[in-house]
Amino acid sequence: MRVYLDHHSTTPCDERVVEAMKPFWTERFGNPSAVHEVGNDAREAVEQAREQVAAVINAPTDAICFTSGATEANNIVLQGLMAKCTSPRKIITTNVEHSSVLKTVDRINQDGAHGVILLQVDGQGLLSLTALNDILASDDTIGIVSVMAANNEIGTIYNIEKIGEICKRNNVFFHTDATQAIGKVDIDVQRMNIDALSMSAHKIYGPKGIGALYIKDKSRVKPIICGGFQEEVTSGTSNVPAIVGFGEACRLLIEESPAEREQIGRLRDRLLKSLTDNLDDIKINGTMENRLPNNLNLTIKGVQAEALVLGMDDVIVSSGSACISQNPEPSHVIRALGVDNADCAIRIGIGKGNTEEEIDYASARIIEVVNAVRSG
Ligand code: PMP
């Protein structure tokens, strides 16, 4: 048996998504920007997918721009919005964002025209919204607030509805990176006062290399990639098969994800119980309240994450350290929590295809390897 438990990293494509994409490689291969019939056919498919993506977050269809993924969406909104600010502005974000936000704001900061305020999470991974409110109320040079909807390592769900409300009250643009939250947390960009949102298809059983930026007012951003402006805020010939696959993944998500969340949550709790019943000195990183139903992040005392990950080729979990991620440092998220033994943190991400049998197998294997490392 081989059990894949790294669904925060990526998910397998749903077979139905693959089926939906198939005609668009060879038969319906048109360029949607072309005005002839072959182009029109592709354009209709792209526009249908745009509706399907918009429906997941209750966005107006024309506010969805296809990108190569959440990384590009985050770059477009952060760089593009700041580039349009004529006077010095600050970006407020958190110290647990994905690198595509953190490195982008770092670059903007280094370039010197604008500043950055990094909100620090507490030991549970939680954010103080009072602190956010206080900054917004006292500083009128904030250009954008960017807070992720859910964390990709510890699964913490942030209160984006409340943040949207605070931003609206202070008249500040609110962006959320919802890459990990889509399909697991209900998001309504209109009710939640979200001005921009990033997402990626491959986290929701769609293809890699495609995602979207929802942006309420496209004129707020200056495009960083110039060309035909096919997606207004970005350019390049549309990746039609991937866009169609993304649309189908969103359609399936709307129909199926409510039931999946419950099933995945039950599997996560089963795994946690089995591990904590059978192993001492396991610590859960992050709060169990307001946590993605598929996420576990555990520090297993005395067992380096890398030893565990490399010790099991039949159970796939993730560690943030060398060899596996090509990054020798323990994850910035785990370090932000001030956790001891940050190099012993493993991340488990359960997916819709996992079964009870797989979870029990994975648990037994983890227990076996931990015991072997500890006694060795
Ligand atoms: N944001 C978050 C929270 C993520 O988890 C990821 C992917 N790990 C990204 C952004 C980037 O997504 P992509 O690599 O598909 O551009």
Side-chain angles (χ1 to χ4, degrees):
M1 189 180 278
R2 184 164 169 274
V3 186
Y4 181 78
L5 297 178
D6 194 15
H7 291 83
H8 295 296
S9 169
T10 197
T11 60
C13 239
D14 190 296
E15 293 289 351
R16 292 165 292 180
V17 167
V18 177
E19 277 308 310
M21 291 168 71
K22 268 185 189 163
F24 293 90
W25 298 108
T26 51
E27 294 155 43
R28 303 176 65 184
F29 58 85
N31 183 334
S33 300
V35 291
H36 48 62
E37 207 183 311
V38 180
N40 287 345
D41 175 55
R43 188 162 55 253
E44 273 167 27
V46 166
E47 293 316 313
Q48 187 194 6
R50 206 184 299 280
E51 279 171 29
Q52 290 166 321
V53 173
V56 171
I57 55 171
N58 192 31
T61 305
D62 65 357
I64 297 293
C65 302
F66 289 113
T67 64
S68 63
T71 298
E72 188 189 344
N74 288 338
N75 272 268
I76 292 172
V77 68
L78 295 168
Q79 294 194 46
L81 196 114
M82 296 316 270
K84 275 227 163 165
C85 295
T86 47
S87 55
R89 298 274 148 191
K90 297 186 196 106
I91 301 175
I92 298 185
T93 187
T94 80
N95 60 342
V96 291
E97 298 296 314
H98 186 260
S99 57
S100 55
V101 168
L102 285 177
K103 299 283 179 194
T104 304
V105 299
D106 224 26
R107 165 82 68 84
I108 293 169
N109 197 22
Q110 276 168 25
D111 286 350
H114 303 291
V116 174
I117 297 173
L118 271 192
L119 298 174
Q120 312 285 313
V121 298
D122 68 13
Q124 293 287 300
L126 298 171
L127 267 183
S128 162
L129 298 192
T130 316
L132 173 65
N133 196 30
D134 290 349
I135 300 174
L136 290 182
S138 62
D139 187 339
D140 60 5
T141 67
I142 307 302
I144 180 167
V145 168
S146 179
V147 176
M148 64 197 335
N151 186 270
N152 49 304
E153 298 200 30
I154 54 173
T156 310
I157 298 169
Y158 294 102
N159 191 343
I160 52 170
E161 181 160 11
K162 185 91 194 142
I163 298 172
E165 195 184 302
I166 294 172
C167 288
K168 188 175 181 209
R169 198 180 329 124
N170 290 281
N171 200 20
V172 172
F173 188 100
F174 175 40
H175 164 249
T176 186
D177 175 355
T179 310
Q180 297 287 343
I182 297 291
K184 314 214 170 52
V185 178
D186 291 328
I187 297 182
D188 179 328
V189 290
Q190 304 190 56
R191 185 170 56 78
M192 296 178 167
N193 296 304
I194 297 168
D195 295 303
L197 175 148
S198 308
M199 60 199 283
S200 247
H202 70 105
K203 310 288 186 180
I204 54 167
Y205 308 93
K208 294 172 183 56
I210 190 75
L213 174 68
Y214 149 76
I215 179 152
K216 193 168 152 188
D217 178 0
K218 293 172 199 158
S219 72
R220 294 289 301 267
V221 302
K222 182 171 173 182
I224 47 176
I225 305 273
C226 297
F229 296 110
Q230 287 87 341
E231 290 294 314
E232 296 182 66
V233 298
T234 191
S235 293
T237 303
S238 307
N239 184 350
V240 180
I243 288 172
V244 168
F246 186 15
E248 174 69 357
C250 286
R251 189 186 69 78
L252 295 171
L253 204 74
I254 290 173
E255 281 182 14
E256 299 172 2
S257 71
E260 279 162 20
R261 287 179 208 176
E262 286 188 22
Q263 182 213 340
I264 287 172
R266 272 196 298 276
L267 293 179
R268 190 268 311 272
D269 295 343
R270 183 182 179 96
L271 178 60
L272 179 62
K273 180 167 184 338
S274 166
L275 293 176
T276 48
D277 282 354
N278 288 286
L279 292 169
D280 295 328
D281 285 327
I282 291 195
K283 198 181 148 297
I284 301 168
N285 298 315
T287 174
M288 283 307 287
E289 281 165 43
N290 297 325
R291 191 182 192 111
L292 291 175
N294 64 335
N295 174 275
L296 269 185
N297 193 303
L298 303 170
T299 299
I300 307 179
K301 198 170 170 195
V303 183
Q304 289 220 321
E306 207 176 296
L308 189 58
V309 171
L310 297 178
M312 309 183 290
D313 51 11
D314 51 351
V315 178
I316 319 298
V317 297
S318 159
S319 91
S321 52
C323 304
I324 296 107
S325 69
Q326 295 148 12
N327 179 0
E329 291 292 313
S331 126
H332 68 282
V333 176
I334 302 301
R335 279 183 288 140
L337 303 183
V339 169
D340 292 336
N341 310 313
D343 57 343
C344 296
I346 58 161
R347 177 186 69 179
I348 294 171
I350 295 169
K352 68 176 182 178
N354 289 132
T355 61
E356 262 185 24
E357 192 192 359
E358 287 183 340
I359 292 299
D360 293 346
Y361 179 86
S363 172
R365 285 290 287 134
I366 294 170
I367 293 165
E368 188 182 355
V369 176
V370 167
N371 285 333
V373 172
R374 281 181 172 169
S375 65

